[in-house]
Amino acid sequence: MAVSVLHIHVIFIISFTSVLHLLLLLLVTPALSLPLCTDSSIKISPFLSLFFDMNFASGCNDLHLFMAGTPVRPKTPLVFCGYNGSSCCDSIQDSNIQKQFEAMNVSQSDCASLLKSILCSNSPFSPSLRGQAPTPANSSNTLGDIWQSRTDFCNAVGGPSLDGSVCFDGEKVSLNATTNSTITTPTGMCLEKIDNGPYLDMVAHTDGSNRAFFSNQKGQIWLATVPEVGSGRPLDLDESNPFLDLTDEVHFDTQFGLMSIAVHPNFEQNGRFFASFNCDKSQTPSCSGRCACNSDVNCDPSKLPSDSAAEPCQYQSVVAEYTVNGTASSRTSVIPNASPVEVRRIFTMGLPFTSHHAGQILFGPNDGYLYFMMGDGGAGDPYNFAQDKKSLLGKIMRFDVDDIPRSTLYIPEQSPGGNTSASSINPIFPVMGYKHSDISKNEGSASITGGFFYRSTTDPCLYGSYLYGDLYADSMWAGVETPENSGNFTANKIPFTCAKDSPVPCNLVPGTSRPALGYLISFGQDNKNDVYLLSTSGVYRIVPPSRCGYTCAYQNTTTGSTSGPTSTPGSAANMVKGSYNIPLMLLLLFLGFAY
């Protein structure tokens, strides 16, 4: 059979179903990595036999290209490489490959998996992947014995690359810069407004979706759908249908309310939900924790000065647990709300004064503990609670919520600082900050509102920066650690404005280009690492800087996203460039076979 278009003779051993599978794979997933594919510029020798094996066993979707070998069915099933259909390898060769792999003694599972794939590809299954030089007699079972040079390996596995970008040489790899690796100061931060609601906290759903929980100070919590960046849509949140309503339990006032929410790491399975709020013991019987002013810290509640006409420790801080529809076994993916009845009370403590009580809760990223942050108690901390290690005020507490009867209460061995001289404690000195005099005298400044390390690629020039602002929302900073893990941070004040095509129109501070945020209450983060500003005037999301006229050398201004790595002719990346080129070539070959 002659295929005049390619001027070669081709013999296919392939089923019609396999062709369809292959075409669907390549059409549906244009970015699919096929390191063994070739582009149309490669010249194929006449009478070359090509055999495509679509292996869908054990969840694998590998496309293997066998060249210059006659496939046979092994008499003994292959143990290591696992190709038990027609192949060019027998059990002895498979065993030798396994011994070579085991001799390398690779302990890291991901690396071991990749190495196994390479060794099996270098087997007689695919002779084209063999190195240019023969294996030396005194082999030490290293990759260098198979591929004699870096170029040899790159050409065999990834195809030639003029800039060497597809190969790993032991240093950090950059497939063309797409983030701010040079740590240059961003020219500005662009925001889009997606909602008018004054929310205090935002927590991403644990299912990895674009859903997130939002809470307000009154005590209501919603499960909302966050729109894609650039979609032009606002936050999908139904105020009439809260996920959880705690307004009957929460004492809401200027300084009090629902402070924070947290979702158990296994929320999809157990439906456990946590809230930190304030209660009034004169109104709620369950609001009966021990006063933070007590004999342990040499404090007499009866001698506390009057504070806003409140009785000593009348207002309290609470951490409580709730669950979806009253049962931990409910399917959280389909249940729209949670029961307002407490499953258990984790913590209750009376507050000596009516301010500076904080209350953020969050789960540690690795240990599964619930962390609870307490303020110093307010009124300038006249009793020095924050510096007293016997007091829970001004501390971070840690709860093992999976083992409540033996809950671990954690107080740092050293105070994190506070209203005291550095010589009186062993302090952890601030790594970033600003002086009140650094802020415009017209607006003034109040306190730091932080913050997240920015890990999204939406604005690649902010990547790696710690973002924080002032409560009065007239100033923002991006702090960068240089060098990494050194503890040395440099913070730069950055301008910010609102995109003109924002889904919800932004109001600007008169005479400026700054959005009128009101008070900057908190920051939030979704499952894509995009960062949100939660203010009294609404919810704002950081978007590509070009939408506000800011420049970023790492942003693809055409699409509004970061640019991906470019490729050179013949490289692995270039071999699948253009989602239809390869399927079209295969389709032509198949049609030729049909004739």
Side-chain angles (χ1 to χ4, degrees):
M1 175 190 65
V3 183
S4 59
V5 174
L6 296 179
H7 304 289
I8 60 172
H9 294 279
V10 181
I11 302 174
F12 273 91
I13 301 179
I14 185 169
S15 70
F16 177 74
T17 303
S18 295
V19 171
L20 291 180
H21 282 162
L22 178 59
L23 294 176
L24 288 173
L25 271 174
L26 292 171
L27 287 170
V28 174
T29 315
L32 183 67
S33 176
L34 301 174
L36 305 185
C37 288
T38 59
D39 61 18
S40 58
S41 65
I42 296 178
K43 298 187 182 301
I44 305 175
S45 301
F47 304 102
L48 178 65
S49 297
L50 302 178
F51 302 97
F52 291 87
D53 172 35
M54 297 298 294
N55 181 2
F56 292 94
S58 303
C60 296
N61 294 333
D62 300 328
L63 172 63
H64 303 284
L65 177 62
F66 305 129
M67 304 181 71
T70 302
V72 295
R73 183 172 297 279
K75 295 180 180 179
T76 303
L78 304 183
V79 176
F80 184 64
C81 288
Y83 301 103
N84 294 318
S86 298
S87 73
C88 303
C89 189
D90 57 29
S91 59
I92 296 177
Q93 294 165 322
D94 181 69
S95 177
N96 290 336
I97 295 172
Q98 182 176 7
K99 292 177 181 178
Q100 184 180 22
F101 171 80
E102 293 172 348
M104 295 181 183
N105 194 27
V106 180
S107 59
Q108 211 282 334
S109 58
D110 290 338
C111 182
S113 176
L114 177 61
L115 179 60
K116 176 181 176 181
S117 175
I118 293 175
L119 290 175
C120 286
S121 296
N122 186 57
S123 72
F125 292 112
S126 186
S128 65
L129 288 184
R130 290 189 177 278
Q132 300 301 318
T135 302
N138 57 345
S139 171
S140 60
N141 287 316
T142 65
L143 291 178
D145 293 337
I146 304 171
W147 293 284
Q148 301 301 302
S149 70
R150 181 174 182 272
T151 300
D152 190 9
F153 174 83
C154 291
N155 288 341
V157 178
S161 175
L162 299 180
D163 59 3
S165 62
V166 299
C167 282
F168 178 67
D169 58 7
E171 300 297 329
K172 292 183 178 181
V173 176
S174 176
L175 300 176
N176 290 347
T178 58
T179 58
N180 193 2
S181 58
T182 57
I183 315 300
T184 57
T185 303
T187 60
M189 183 170 69
C190 184
L191 305 174
E192 69 171 1
K193 189 176 183 180
I194 61 172
D195 196 87
N196 287 317
Y199 306 108
L200 261 65
D201 203 3
M202 171 187 176
V203 177
H205 198 294
T206 59
D207 63 0
S209 70
N210 61 339
R211 296 188 296 171
F213 297 94
F214 289 82
S215 62
N216 66 10
Q217 192 173 350
K218 292 181 180 180
Q220 296 168 302
I221 303 161
W222 292 269
L223 179 57
T225 299
V226 180
E228 295 290 335
V229 173
S231 67
R233 298 193 304 271
L235 185 68
D236 184 5
L237 185 151
D238 183 2
E239 291 188 356
S240 66
N241 184 28
F243 170 82
L244 179 61
D245 191 337
L246 300 177
T247 51
D248 290 341
E249 297 291 325
V250 171
H251 174 67
F252 171 56
D253 202 347
T254 304
Q255 297 281 353
F256 299 103
L258 176 59
M259 297 289 103
S260 184
I261 55 177
V263 180
H264 193 280
N266 295 323
F267 177 73
E268 290 181 89
Q269 288 73 41
N270 59 33
R272 300 175 69 186
F273 194 93
F274 300 83
S276 166
F277 59 89
N278 303 118
C279 63
D280 182 349
K281 72 176 183 180
S282 67
Q283 302 293 327
T284 309
S286 62
C287 188
S288 56
R290 188 187 186 193
C291 185
C293 172
N294 54 59
S295 58
D296 291 347
V297 292
N298 299 316
C299 181
D300 184 351
S302 65
K303 296 181 179 180
L304 285 174
S306 175
D307 183 21
S308 302
E311 296 180 7
C313 291
Q314 174 179 341
Y315 303 114
Q316 308 211 348
S317 284
V318 174
V319 179
E321 178 182 345
Y322 302 86
T323 189
V324 171
N325 271 18
T327 170
S329 62
S330 300
R331 288 180 55 83
T332 62
S333 60
V334 296
I335 301 300
N337 51 54
S339 170
V341 179
E342 288 185 23
V343 173
R344 63 175 57 85
R345 180 66 61 91
I346 307 295
F347 178 85
T348 309
M349 184 175 71
L351 302 169
F353 304 105
T354 59
S355 62
H356 292 196
H357 46 79
Q360 183 181 20
I361 55 174
L362 53 83
F363 278 93
N366 301 313
D367 57 17
Y369 291 128
L370 181 69
Y371 289 80
F372 177 44
M373 291 70 168
M374 280 297 303
D376 62 16
D381 195 12
Y383 289 86
N384 213 34
F385 292 130
Q387 284 72 49
D388 190 335
K389 297 178 183 179
K390 295 181 180 179
S391 172
L392 298 182
L393 293 171
K395 308 298 189 298
I396 299 176
M397 286 165 271
R398 181 176 67 184
F399 302 103
D400 183 357
V401 296
D402 294 326
D403 191 8
I404 296 297
R406 296 183 297 276
S407 180
T408 301
L409 184 61
Y410 174 70
I411 304 174
E413 295 181 0
Q414 297 179 345
S415 168
N419 303 322
T420 187
S421 63
S423 60
S424 65
I425 58 172
N426 296 319
I428 300 174
F429 289 97
V431 295
M432 287 178 279
Y434 55 88
K435 298 178 181 179
H436 289 287
S437 58
D438 293 339
I439 310 301
S440 170
K441 294 182 179 179
N442 294 330
E443 291 87 2
S445 65
S447 58
I448 291 177
T449 300
F452 281 95
F453 277 97
Y454 191 81
R455 301 298 186 191
S456 171
T457 56
T458 298
D459 184 344
C461 282
L462 286 177
Y463 189 89
S465 300
Y466 180 78
L467 304 179
Y468 62 98
D470 188 83
L471 175 66
Y472 289 166
D474 62 341
S475 300
M476 298 286 174
W477 287 265
V480 176
E481 186 180 22
T482 309
E484 189 175 356
N485 298 323
S486 66
N488 298 318
F489 283 81
T490 301
N492 292 288
K493 188 176 177 181
I494 55 174
F496 63 100
T497 190
C498 202
K500 294 181 180 180
D501 59 350
S502 179
V504 177
C506 296
N507 294 322
L508 301 180
V509 175
T512 75
S513 60
R514 294 198 317 272
L517 302 182
Y519 292 106
L520 178 60
I521 303 300
S522 184
F523 286 78
Q525 188 179 52
D526 64 18
N527 282 316
K528 294 182 178 179
N529 294 325
D530 279 319
V531 171
Y532 300 74
L533 280 63
L534 308 181
S535 77
T536 53
S537 71
V539 180
Y540 299 78
R541 174 168 54 187
I542 298 176
V543 294
S546 61
R547 286 179 58 185
C548 293
Y550 297 126
T551 59
C552 175
Y554 310 98
Q555 183 195 347
N556 182 338
T557 56
T558 301
T559 61
S561 60
T562 58
S563 58
T566 58
S567 58
T568 55
S571 70
N574 195 53
M575 291 175 184
V576 291
K577 182 177 68 176
S579 60
Y580 48 82
N581 290 342
I582 293 175
L584 179 60
M585 183 180 71
L586 292 174
L587 184 59
L588 287 173
L589 291 173
F590 180 75
L591 291 175
F593 175 67
Y595 275 102

